[in-house]
Amino acid sequence: MARNLAQAIMYLFPDAAPQIDFSLRDDGEGPYIDIWNLPDPQPDEATLAQAEADYLAAAIAAEQARQQLRDQIKTLAQSAVGETLDNLTQAQLKSLVAILLWKAGAVANDLTINPLSDWVRE
Amino acid sequence: MTTNHHTAIATGAAANAAVINSPLEELDAAFAAANKPQFLAHKNGATQAISAATDTKITWTTEVFDTNGYFASSRFTPLVAGTYQFNLTFRTDGNTDQSRIYARIYKNGAESASKVLSASGTILQSNSVNCIAVANGSTDYFEAYIYADNAVTLNGTVTQTYFSGFKIAGV
């Protein structure tokens, strides 16, 4: 099982850039911090382990929130099936647009809209 | 070698056989030794989990050949001084779109050669790097490393992930 050491560091220092502010290495006995260039002191193992657990918990919570939102949108869109356009509620319209955006590759993993250049043909 | 050849020509019939055979044998021997030591290793199907943003040593489970026994613990330490060529090829699965994947050859624990690709989509990716390096024949050692922005799985297919090296010239 790969360790999430990089994510743990990024969780503690969101602006840190891998390979610039820090470098990690694994010579066969697990990853470790090879180079530390941030002005902050290098975190100890206990801090890193806690950050790794916090990162994983936050990632799971974010994925659950995304899944919940997806389910809500799908349910709303499903409720629009069979309705005429002028009878659609704002919420139904929004959900239908959201689904079309997803299909077009316009929505990033964090639910923000990707740059138009990524999904709109010139 | 040239002196021996001419000497054989000058010493009669018995030596004539040597004129024909000796240089050929010498050539054979020279060819046989020319590119040794050499090794080829693979993972024999075993996958390897690679942590995100971590230079990770690739472990090799199987040696196809290791002419002089200098490959051990996924490390090649040739005890013959010379110039060597190394080739590393691997496949990664579980990629993240636009994630960078580096193939790296290390000499004595530091990067000697590196090649990067940017993953296109999440389908499998293949990367390779070749390099020529000098080995002192005593302490110099060489290893294969991988780095990926996001966690990936190194595929262990014998024909898709392998590490090799051989001597191309003496010092």
Side-chain angles (χ1 to χ4, degrees):
Chain A
M1 175 85 178
R3 199 181 162 189
N4 299 299
L5 192 54
Q7 289 90 337
I9 292 172
M10 299 296 289
Y11 189 79
L12 290 171
F13 307 99
D15 295 329
Q19 290 201 300
I20 297 171
D21 294 323
F22 65 93
S23 289
L24 306 180
R25 188 156 159 171
D26 183 349
D27 300 319
E29 292 168 358
Y32 62 92
I33 298 173
D34 187 33
I35 298 170
W36 185 259
N37 291 327
L38 285 169
D40 308 80
Q42 181 176 321
D44 58 20
E45 184 52 38
T47 306
L48 288 170
Q50 184 59 53
E52 195 171 346
D54 293 345
Y55 157 77
L56 284 173
I60 290 169
E63 179 52 34
Q64 283 171 343
R66 274 195 295 272
Q67 188 58 49
Q68 198 176 3
L69 183 61
R70 277 194 289 264
D71 291 345
Q72 283 174 352
I73 288 171
K74 271 190 195 168
T75 304
L76 267 170
Q78 189 62 41
S79 72
V81 174
E83 295 288 343
T84 56
L85 273 177
D86 54 350
N87 274 339
L88 294 177
T89 64
Q90 283 294 323
Q92 286 171 325
L93 277 171
K94 239 175 134 176
S95 66
L96 290 167
V97 169
I99 285 177
L100 290 172
L101 288 171
W102 251 313
K103 255 190 108 176
V107 186
N109 278 342
D110 63 359
L111 301 180
T112 57
I113 301 298
N114 287 323
L116 296 189
S117 56
D118 287 359
W119 57 282
V120 177
R121 286 188 191 164
E122 292 293 324
Chain B
M1 206 184 314
T2 308
T3 305
N4 288 343
H5 187 176
H6 287 178
T7 304
I9 290 171
T11 52
N16 281 342
V19 171
I20 296 166
N21 292 330
S22 181
L24 287 176
E25 286 167 4
E26 285 175 8
L27 272 175
D28 269 352
F31 280 131
N35 295 117
K36 291 177 181 172
Q38 54 188 230
F39 73 94
L40 170 62
H42 58 65
K43 295 178 74 64
N44 200 29
T47 59
Q48 184 176 348
I50 307 299
S51 299
T54 305
D55 273 308
T56 303
K57 180 178 170 179
I58 301 176
T59 54
W60 306 99
T61 60
T62 304
E63 296 168 7
V64 178
F65 53 81
D66 177 15
T67 57
N68 298 57
Y70 295 153
F71 192 84
S73 302
S74 302
R75 171 187 291 189
F76 183 59
T77 311
L79 298 181
V80 177
T83 306
Y84 288 74
Q85 174 161 343
F86 297 96
N87 313 292
L88 166 65
T89 293
F90 60 69
R91 166 185 154 183
T92 56
D93 298 320
N95 299 286
T96 301
D97 190 30
Q98 303 302 313
S99 171
R100 295 170 303 167
I101 303 165
Y102 289 81
R104 288 173 166 161
I105 293 172
Y106 273 38
K107 176 182 176 182
N108 300 334
E111 182 182 296
S112 180
S114 179
K115 185 179 163 216
V116 62
L117 68 78
S118 182
S120 176
T122 56
I123 58 169
L124 63 90
Q125 303 289 328
S126 185
N127 196 5
S128 63
V129 62
N130 309 304
C131 77
I132 291 173
V134 172
N136 63 12
S138 56
T139 57
D140 286 343
Y141 62 93
F142 300 86
E143 299 162 305
Y145 273 72
I146 177 175
Y147 174 97
D149 286 336
N150 297 84
V152 296
T153 300
L154 192 61
N155 187 284
T157 304
V158 169
T159 54
Q160 298 184 38
T161 298
Y162 47 88
F163 183 35
S164 66
F166 58 91
K167 186 163 77 73
I168 55 175
V171 285

